[in-house]
Amino acid sequence: MSFLQQLDNYPAAPLARRIASCSGTEIDTALACDRVGLEQFACLLAPRISDAQLEQLAARAHRLTTQRFGRTIQLYAPLYLSNECHNGCRYCGFSADNSLPRKTLNRQEIDREAGMLHEQEFRHILLLTGEAPEAAGIGYLESAIRQIRPMFGSIAIEVFPMESDEYQRMVAAGVDGLTLYQETYDRELYSELHPYGPKSDYDFRLTAPERAAAAGFRRVGIGSLLGLGDFLTDTFYTGLHALYLARRFWRTQVTIGFPRIKPAVGGYTPRTEISDRQLTQLICALRLLIPDAGLVLSTRESAELRNNLLPLGITQMSAGSCTAPGGYAGEDHQGEQFSISDHRSPQEFSQQVKSFGYEAVWKDWDCAFLNRAG
Ligand code: SF4
């Protein structure tokens, strides 16, 4: 059964009511559970959680994370290959509706950007594009991946959703990780926010992570863009989706990202504000639901918040990021997708990680282990 069918079993209105109505006693019971299931997860998301209960939740999330992952934070860097896009996502700086300098990196530019990240010690890299197949389609990606593969132990992509055979081509080229956020699981809101372009196909996007896992991706990352809609139901559905993937594709590690909307060209205003306290609660609740999931926090968040969240469940963080194609080598950051909040250099950040008694891991995997990149 695809996740599409499973999602239908959890209609949003009763779910939202359930989360909103969880009592303090039910939250205590959920916190005391050895194994947190979906019912307890809903309670741990409840807005009624007290400060003392949140502290207990955070302490459990910290313990579980150290048991499963040790005191480590894996570092990665995003590399934007292109900002050309035919989609009209209302909240994104790269939307086709916005006027900004458009660019797709050529081979020399890719080499320069990748070389700079390699010099900064990054060995895990995330390649990003918009959705414009004539500028940065499957063939372009394959060639870019093969070009930079010798420099990196792990290459992930955050691009457009693909068909199964296209995902197989990505794996054959040397990709081992996928990030693909559903943005929101609310179908109606999704249609409103994605009014045209291929991304308006909700079902094709929702089923992409399972196609990627079936095609042999070692890591598959999901999440919702926090601030678009009801972040509590969206986080519940993210947990449900992650559980589905983890159970069905046991060879693939599931990761979950927590992007909060940031200011971007186009001036989209988020419908809901998520406070730092609420973000902390979501992260810790997801850690209890899926102890083995990689939890990812990017430089969208401030240095202070990232420092505070580091011990509570996060396992992967980006550092020194730039969200414009060519932005690492160039001085001009025009054409960026959104502005980042943590401006520390990768080395400064890794020192900070060490100062907390954690190890900053630049490389914990090499796709050469798979022996299938041809
Ligand atoms: S979110 Fe992705 S698909 Fe949508 S406009 Fe931005 S780059 Fe294009």
Side-chain angles (χ1 to χ4, degrees):
M1 181 168 69
S2 158
F3 182 63
L4 253 182
Q5 284 97 47
Q6 203 184 85
L7 190 57
D8 286 342
N9 297 332
Y10 296 86
L15 174 61
R17 280 197 298 275
R18 175 68 191 120
I19 296 173
S21 67
C22 279
S23 66
T25 315
E26 286 176 305
I27 298 171
D28 276 338
T29 311
L31 279 168
C33 257
D34 273 350
R35 268 207 87 110
V36 166
L38 288 167
E39 178 56 32
Q40 293 81 26
F41 178 51
C43 290
L44 295 178
L45 295 174
R48 198 166 282 151
I49 195 164
S50 68
D51 287 348
Q53 287 170 324
L54 184 55
E55 267 182 38
Q56 272 185 58
L57 175 61
R60 257 194 89 176
H62 167 71
R63 270 199 311 277
L64 264 180
T65 310
T66 357
Q67 276 163 12
R68 306 289 168 133
F69 295 88
R71 295 171 76 88
T72 61
I73 294 288
Q74 191 216 89
L75 300 184
Y76 73 95
L79 196 174
Y80 280 72
L81 295 173
S82 173
N83 63 3
E84 299 190 54
C85 194
H86 298 317
N87 289 309
C89 311
R90 294 280 186 238
Y91 47 84
C92 176
F94 291 172
S95 164
D97 294 325
N98 294 333
S99 146
L100 76 162
R102 301 285 173 172
K103 184 171 182 60
T104 296
L105 302 187
N106 61 30
R107 283 186 72 84
Q108 279 137 349
E109 290 166 329
I110 294 172
D111 237 0
R112 212 164 45 222
E113 292 285 290
M116 289 191 70
L117 292 172
H118 185 267
E119 267 172 36
Q120 289 174 340
E121 294 189 45
F122 285 109
R123 297 296 179 268
H124 287 225
I125 196 162
L126 174 66
L127 302 179
L128 297 98
T129 67
E131 186 156 14
E134 74 293 348
I138 303 289
Y140 170 89
L141 281 170
E142 277 178 322
S143 135
I145 292 155
R146 292 206 156 95
Q147 183 188 339
I148 63 169
R149 202 176 60 200
M151 284 190 249
F152 299 100
S154 165
I155 300 177
I157 51 171
E158 184 171 346
V159 298
F160 44 91
M162 297 179 188
E163 300 285 359
S164 301
D165 61 321
E166 294 170 330
Y167 278 134
Q168 282 161 4
R169 283 171 63 180
M170 293 296 109
V171 172
V175 171
D176 62 286
L178 173 85
T179 297
L180 194 87
Y181 298 140
Q182 185 60 22
E183 321 294 16
T184 176
Y185 288 82
D186 176 337
R187 218 175 248 282
E188 224 170 276
L189 179 63
Y190 186 94
S191 304
E192 206 180 294
L193 295 169
H194 306 97
Y196 63 84
K199 191 165 170 180
S200 53
D201 187 339
Y202 176 101
D203 291 358
F204 189 64
R205 191 170 187 87
L206 187 72
T207 48
E210 52 201 90
R211 285 196 297 281
F217 277 65
R218 191 181 70 91
R219 266 179 307 128
V220 169
I222 60 167
S224 43
L225 186 48
L226 300 169
L228 290 182
D230 176 356
F231 66 90
L232 295 176
T233 49
D234 268 339
T235 302
F236 181 90
Y237 291 134
T238 302
L240 186 69
H241 197 175
L243 266 188
Y244 165 88
L245 291 167
R247 285 177 181 159
R248 182 159 168 214
F249 303 101
W250 58 272
R251 287 166 183 269
T252 302
Q253 190 203 19
V254 178
T255 65
I256 300 169
F258 300 89
R260 280 195 290 192
I261 296 185
K262 297 298 294 177
V265 181
Y268 177 81
T269 317
R271 289 188 183 197
T272 40
E273 293 278 337
I274 293 113
S275 68
D276 292 352
R277 183 185 192 273
Q278 285 164 328
L279 182 63
T280 307
Q281 184 183 355
L282 307 184
I283 291 172
C284 296
L286 270 162
R287 166 58 68 227
L288 265 58
L289 179 70
I290 316 187
D292 291 323
L295 301 186
V296 186
L297 197 67
S298 78
T299 51
R300 283 172 185 262
E301 301 301 341
S302 68
E304 189 191 356
L305 182 66
R306 278 168 32 107
N307 287 350
N308 291 339
L309 288 175
L310 195 145
L312 297 187
I314 297 299
T315 57
Q316 295 170 29
M317 283 183 165
S318 53
S321 304
C322 174
T323 69
Y328 291 112
E331 280 153 30
D332 186 359
H333 284 202
Q334 274 190 344
E336 56 181 18
Q337 189 181 30
F338 56 86
S339 36
I340 63 161
S341 299
D342 185 347
H343 297 277
R344 287 173 292 183
S345 72
Q347 274 60 37
E348 273 174 295
F349 182 63
S350 97
Q351 284 308 321
Q352 182 88 72
V353 170
K354 272 189 210 152
S355 74
F356 288 136
Y358 277 68
E359 186 188 351
V361 178
W362 297 91
K363 180 176 178 180
D364 72 351
W365 162 262
D366 197 307
C367 59
F369 297 151
L370 285 176
N371 196 28
R372 66 177 158 206

